[in-house]
Amino acid sequence: MKESISNANFPRDEEDRVYHISVKVGEVANRVITVGDHVRARRIAKLLDSEEECGHPIFEKQSQRGFLTITGRYKGVPVTIMAIGMGNPMMDFFVRETRASVEGELAIIRFGSCGSITHLAPPGAVIVPSAGYCIRRNIDYFADEPLYPELKDKPYLFSGHFKADEKMVEILSNTLKSAIGVIESESEYVGPVLTGGLNVDGCSFYSSQGRFDPTFWDDNQDLLKEVALKFPKTHSIEMETSMLFHLAHCAKDPKKPIKAAGCMQVFADRLANGFIQPEVVALLEPVVGKACLDALIQIDIENEMSPEGTVWECKK
């Protein structure tokens, strides 16, 4: 560790940068797209206005802990693209530390990949959930001496639902359908855009998403069946989007609300055990990335940050 840190409860360095994503106020815009993959983030960033067009450099910050932040303008509107890696903890770092680095309302779109658990969304489809919930591995179930014997028959625990922002879902869905429709008519391996269902986040890629690994004791052989019985409107399963909805719901400062939506490319068909082809990803990803940007700039923001003193302040 090279930084001098203050405040063990919410660590910041001497420049007032938050500990994990390493940004400070004025470096992250009120409108954010988050992805897992650094390569995906950089590809989307190529769509940003040029430095000549927007009158300022495009800001880029790579944190020591694996977060990539790119801030610029898209069609004149300040936006941030942030790559955060995978899983619930990374989403928690991202949401809390971004929230601490932005003044006013914060709007977040997650653009990721997922497994499909519906025949309505084969590999190459795009899912826009209206809400999400979480599955957690019940660690105590696997203990030699469980602390909660009343849960001894529950290797996995399900949460209730957390809604995405309805207006953002509508904007994102319409924008994606318009964009995907162009290539869907030309390729049988792209589309459709499926909206209105549920997403479920597992706390891992393996056990809590029902993947079988004979090397480990997981007791997850009936997990996807349980998902279908409990919540039959579940379309997708992954590790981040429902956590985003949960944290947006729990952001209770009225001066700093968070609204969120998400879309996921279907990579894995969990019912038929199929997987997307690289050429389909190459065709689909840039279209979805652009659609996310087009949707993001349509979102109304209350108490949006003034550009003065920010990395997107025009220097012309």
Side-chain angles (χ1 to χ4, degrees):
M1 187 181 81
K2 299 178 180 179
E3 310 96 333
S4 296
I5 300 298
S6 62
N7 188 355
N9 185 60
F10 205 99
R12 295 177 185 268
D13 68 12
E14 293 175 331
E15 296 182 342
D16 209 32
R17 295 181 182 277
V18 290
Y19 189 49
H20 299 93
I21 65 177
S22 193
V23 295
K24 60 183 179 180
V25 174
E27 294 178 345
V28 179
N30 294 84
R31 296 173 179 85
V32 181
I33 291 177
T34 181
V35 299
D37 185 353
H38 288 216
V39 174
R40 182 177 295 164
R42 293 189 187 281
R43 285 174 179 161
I44 297 172
K46 290 180 180 179
L47 299 170
L48 297 177
D49 299 344
S50 69
E51 296 183 3
E52 292 75 18
E53 290 174 306
C54 58
H56 59 78
I58 293 174
F59 172 83
E60 183 171 316
K61 177 71 173 179
Q62 177 86 53
S63 86
Q64 188 176 339
R65 293 162 186 86
F67 294 84
L68 172 65
T69 302
I70 302 171
T71 299
R73 291 176 183 261
Y74 179 69
K75 297 182 179 179
V77 180
V79 297
T80 291
I81 303 159
M82 195 177 299
I84 68 170
M86 296 186 294
N88 287 178
M90 302 301 273
M91 181 59 72
D92 191 69
F93 288 139
F94 157 70
V95 173
R96 292 178 188 272
E97 294 190 3
T98 298
R99 178 62 285 176
S101 306
V102 174
E103 297 171 354
E105 192 171 39
L106 180 61
I108 301 171
I109 291 176
R110 166 165 158 75
F111 167 28
S113 58
C114 69
S116 169
I117 50 178
T118 171
H119 293 294
L120 299 174
V126 179
I127 292 177
V128 184
S130 59
Y133 62 98
C134 297
I135 296 175
R136 295 290 175 267
R137 182 182 176 99
N138 177 15
I139 300 295
D140 195 54
Y141 171 91
F142 300 91
D144 291 335
E145 298 180 7
L147 188 60
Y148 299 100
E150 67 272 19
L151 297 176
K152 65 181 180 180
D153 61 338
K154 297 185 183 300
Y156 297 90
L157 305 176
F158 287 64
S159 78
H161 295 173
F162 299 96
K163 292 183 178 180
D165 182 85
E166 291 183 8
K167 186 61 177 177
M168 286 181 65
V169 169
E170 179 185 358
I171 291 171
L172 182 57
S173 176
N174 290 339
T175 305
L176 281 165
K177 286 178 180 178
S178 178
I180 295 296
V182 176
I183 57 173
E184 187 178 3
S185 62
E186 300 172 353
S187 173
E188 61 178 310
Y189 301 108
V190 172
V193 176
L194 182 62
T195 65
L198 299 173
N199 175 72
V200 55
D201 272 6
C203 61
S204 77
F205 183 80
Y206 292 100
S207 67
S208 57
Q209 290 193 50
R211 288 183 166 92
F212 306 141
D213 182 351
T215 308
F216 288 88
W217 172 28
D218 289 321
D219 275 4
N220 65 349
Q221 58 273 12
D222 295 321
L223 188 57
L224 292 185
K225 292 179 183 177
E226 190 175 357
V227 167
L229 288 172
K230 284 183 181 292
F231 301 121
K233 292 185 179 179
T234 305
H235 292 160
S236 53
I237 184 166
E238 41 96 89
M239 293 186 289
E240 295 86 16
T241 304
S242 296
M243 187 64 170
L244 170 61
F245 298 165
H246 162 67
L247 290 167
H249 171 78
C250 293
K252 293 302 184 184
D253 185 340
K255 295 180 180 179
K256 292 191 169 187
I258 301 174
K259 51 190 181 183
C263 66
M264 293 85 74
Q265 302 167 114
V266 175
F267 274 23
D269 181 343
R270 296 298 309 283
L271 301 179
N273 201 27
F275 211 84
I276 197 169
Q277 296 300 307
E279 59 268 24
V280 179
V281 178
L283 181 63
L284 183 64
E285 185 176 80
V287 176
V288 177
K290 185 177 184 301
C292 287
L293 284 171
D294 286 329
L296 192 64
I297 64 173
Q298 296 178 54
I299 297 166
D300 293 328
I301 297 290
E302 292 185 8
N303 302 316
E304 187 167 357
M305 294 174 65
S306 166
E308 186 177 355
T310 69
V311 297
W312 61 87
E313 181 179 5
C314 183
K315 303 296 186 181
K316 288 182 179 180

